[in-house]
Amino acid sequence: MDLDTFFVSVERLLNRELVNKPILIGGVSDRGVVASCSYESRMFGVHSGMPMKMARILCPEAITLRGNTANYSKFSEMVTEIIKEDVPLYEKASIDEFYIDMTGMDRFFDSYKMAVELRERIIRETHLPISFGFASSKTVAKMATNEVKPGKLRIETGQEKPFLAPLSVKKIPMVGDKTYQTLFSLGLRRIRTVQEMPIKLMEKALGLSGVSIWKKANGIDNSPVIPYSERKSISTERTFERDTINVSKLRGIITAMIENLTFQLRKGEKLTSCITVKIRYSDFNTHTKQVRIPYTAADHLLIPKALDLFEKLYNRRLLVRLVGVRCSHLVGGGYQINLFDDAEEMINLYQAMDHVRKRYGDRSVMLATGMEAKTIGRSNPFNGEPPPLLANRKA
């Protein structure tokens, strides 16, 4: 099951004025990338992963939105809960894509009818469009979903090869631009041609990936549906409109990133024991450094660690293109007060800030030290929200 133009659909639910209009969601600067786009904008040749600058040229009338991760996560969780209630086994492949194993259900219900009813329930309760492909393997089901959007499609067992044959080899999962160019140079443009080739020839031309492509082209995929498991990391990163060496603002962005991540950790009742800082320079060389720490979800413990990693990574001779922060090795649990380091005022401050954020949005209040983040990387850091309140540790 795949939520159709998920980010766009959520934005339209929250703002009905966007319905039937061309929408681009992603980095709003010319250096940004299209994360999602509406069907209206796709008519002009726009697609996900395209540079935003090119998308604007192709579709100048499109409305460009930065998007809101918190909103998308909220609606994704709503869909996940519905699926979790109705099916025996599911795999959440991404924020908007699910694999569901119906094996054996025909002994009790009509599996296809059950899938249809599940889709109707999701649409009815969330008002989000969702499509599904019903087939004997994950690969064929995914390709069927991509072909039928928006809608539903059933591929009967034994009909996998006829269904796949006329499709472009580029539609095979795992075939990217580079692999497609290789297949194209070999004269393999349609899946039918791959089906007719001996598997040994595919292996000779492309190695083990050639064998995998041949199997997928023939509808052979024995990979199981992997039960959904909790995420083990949470991260964020920022690509700047202009490469920068402004150390003060870079530190401010790191601070703001940590502050946002720790709020997400506390809201999800998670703790982290590993923090990683990432820097990409103007020459596209990327460096990361991480450190293990006692389990925590506290700003005042993680911010110094992140800034220390940044100082060790930063090369002052080069412009910085991107910075990012990741918290990993997550476990469930609430923040434990450190009797030696944590003052009652600090704990009260966290609780008050989190309360405001839950009510008015995760950017409604932030530390003054992180406010420098607003002047680089984006023209409107608050995505249309009112300016945030300033929290000072000494207040």
Side-chain angles (χ1 to χ4, degrees):
M1 304 194 84
D2 196 344
L3 289 156
D4 301 328
T5 59
F6 176 50
F7 294 173
V8 173
S9 298
V10 171
E11 295 293 344
R12 284 174 170 171
L13 279 179
L14 301 175
N15 183 359
R16 303 306 297 176
E17 293 182 0
L18 299 176
V19 175
N20 296 325
K21 294 181 180 179
I23 307 294
L24 303 176
I25 296 178
V28 296
S29 71
D30 287 344
R31 299 177 68 169
V33 175
V34 178
S36 181
C37 55
S38 64
Y39 286 112
E40 291 82 0
S41 59
R42 292 182 188 183
M43 294 171 59
F44 293 86
V46 178
H47 59 80
S48 299
M50 172 181 287
M52 186 63 74
K53 184 176 182 179
M54 177 62 71
R56 286 197 183 111
I57 293 173
L58 293 174
C59 188
E61 296 181 359
I63 299 172
T64 304
L65 303 174
R66 178 173 294 280
N68 188 309
T69 305
N71 287 338
Y72 306 149
S73 298
K74 176 183 176 181
F75 279 92
S76 176
E77 187 59 32
M78 291 170 58
V79 176
T80 304
E81 286 300 314
I82 295 173
I83 292 175
K84 184 178 181 180
E85 290 178 9
D86 283 9
V87 305
L89 180 64
Y90 74 99
E91 173 184 341
K92 189 170 183 177
S94 66
I95 194 171
D96 61 351
E97 186 177 26
F98 305 83
Y99 289 106
I100 299 171
D101 191 348
M102 295 288 195
T103 303
M105 293 302 293
D106 280 324
R107 295 165 61 184
F108 310 99
F109 308 101
D110 182 312
S111 294
Y112 181 72
K113 182 180 179 181
M114 184 177 176
V116 171
E117 292 175 351
L118 175 59
R119 175 176 179 260
E120 291 173 349
R121 182 188 171 191
I122 292 171
I123 295 173
R124 182 175 64 253
E125 296 186 14
T126 69
H127 304 289
L128 293 170
I130 189 168
S131 301
F132 76 79
F134 194 89
S136 60
S137 70
K138 292 170 75 171
T139 293
V140 179
K142 180 178 177 64
M143 295 177 71
T145 307
N146 292 336
E147 289 304 301
V148 76
K149 284 184 180 182
K152 56 186 183 294
L153 179 61
R154 179 174 188 169
I155 307 300
E156 298 286 356
T157 302
Q159 294 301 307
E160 294 89 353
K161 288 181 66 173
F163 162 69
L164 296 172
L167 303 180
S168 168
V169 294
K170 195 170 186 178
K171 295 191 175 184
I172 300 175
M174 78 174 276
V175 173
D177 291 337
K178 189 174 181 180
T179 304
Y180 174 68
Q181 291 298 328
T182 302
L183 293 171
F184 190 88
S185 65
L186 294 172
L188 304 176
R189 304 178 185 180
R190 298 289 169 186
I191 292 179
R192 177 183 291 105
T193 312
V194 179
Q195 293 174 345
E196 295 170 350
M197 287 187 66
I199 187 172
K200 291 294 184 182
L201 191 56
M202 285 292 292
E203 182 177 14
K204 185 176 181 180
L206 296 168
L208 291 178
S209 63
V211 175
S212 181
I213 292 172
W214 185 90
K215 288 182 177 180
K216 291 180 183 295
N218 282 274
I220 301 171
D221 179 13
N222 297 320
S223 58
V225 171
I226 302 172
Y228 172 67
S229 60
E230 293 286 343
R231 67 187 302 176
K232 296 300 181 183
S233 68
I234 183 172
S235 63
T236 184
E237 59 184 37
R238 179 87 58 84
T239 300
F240 306 130
E241 293 179 16
R242 291 191 180 127
D243 299 344
T244 182
I245 55 172
N246 190 320
V247 178
S248 176
K249 291 180 179 179
L250 289 172
R251 291 196 189 103
I253 281 191
I254 297 291
T255 299
M257 285 179 167
I258 288 293
E259 195 177 4
N260 180 263
L261 291 180
T262 52
F263 167 62
Q264 300 299 332
L265 288 173
R266 293 193 294 269
K267 186 169 69 171
E269 297 184 346
K270 297 289 185 181
L271 302 172
T272 181
S273 66
C274 183
I275 184 170
T276 305
V277 173
K278 171 182 176 182
I279 294 180
R280 178 171 297 150
Y281 295 107
S282 56
D283 60 0
F284 285 86
N285 280 323
T286 304
H287 301 273
T288 61
K289 189 174 284 290
Q290 68 179 32
V291 64
R292 293 297 298 269
I293 56 176
Y295 283 108
T296 185
D299 302 29
H300 70 284
L301 297 179
L302 288 169
I303 288 174
K305 293 289 185 182
L307 292 177
D308 181 58
L309 292 173
F310 169 74
E311 296 295 338
K312 293 176 180 178
L313 275 175
Y314 181 54
N315 185 331
R316 302 178 192 279
R317 294 173 297 175
L318 294 174
L319 292 166
V320 174
R321 176 182 176 86
L322 171 150
V323 292
V325 177
R326 178 166 63 102
C327 296
S328 56
H329 297 75
L330 305 187
V331 297
Y335 175 60
Q336 299 296 310
I337 297 176
N338 186 317
L339 296 178
F340 298 100
D341 298 327
D342 294 347
E344 181 180 358
E345 292 81 0
M346 182 66 71
I347 302 303
N348 290 339
L349 176 61
Y350 286 153
Q351 293 175 345
M353 292 171 69
D354 288 352
H355 177 74
V356 173
R357 288 166 178 156
K358 289 176 182 177
R359 186 170 181 179
Y360 298 106
D362 57 5
R363 297 190 184 113
S364 57
V365 58
M366 59 193 301
L367 294 172
T369 51
M371 286 297 293
E372 290 289 346
K374 72 178 183 178
T375 57
I376 60 176
R378 55 182 173 182
S379 56
N380 179 11
F382 307 114
N383 197 28
E385 299 174 7
L389 304 172
L390 299 184
N392 189 309
R393 290 187 181 279
K394 296 181 181 178

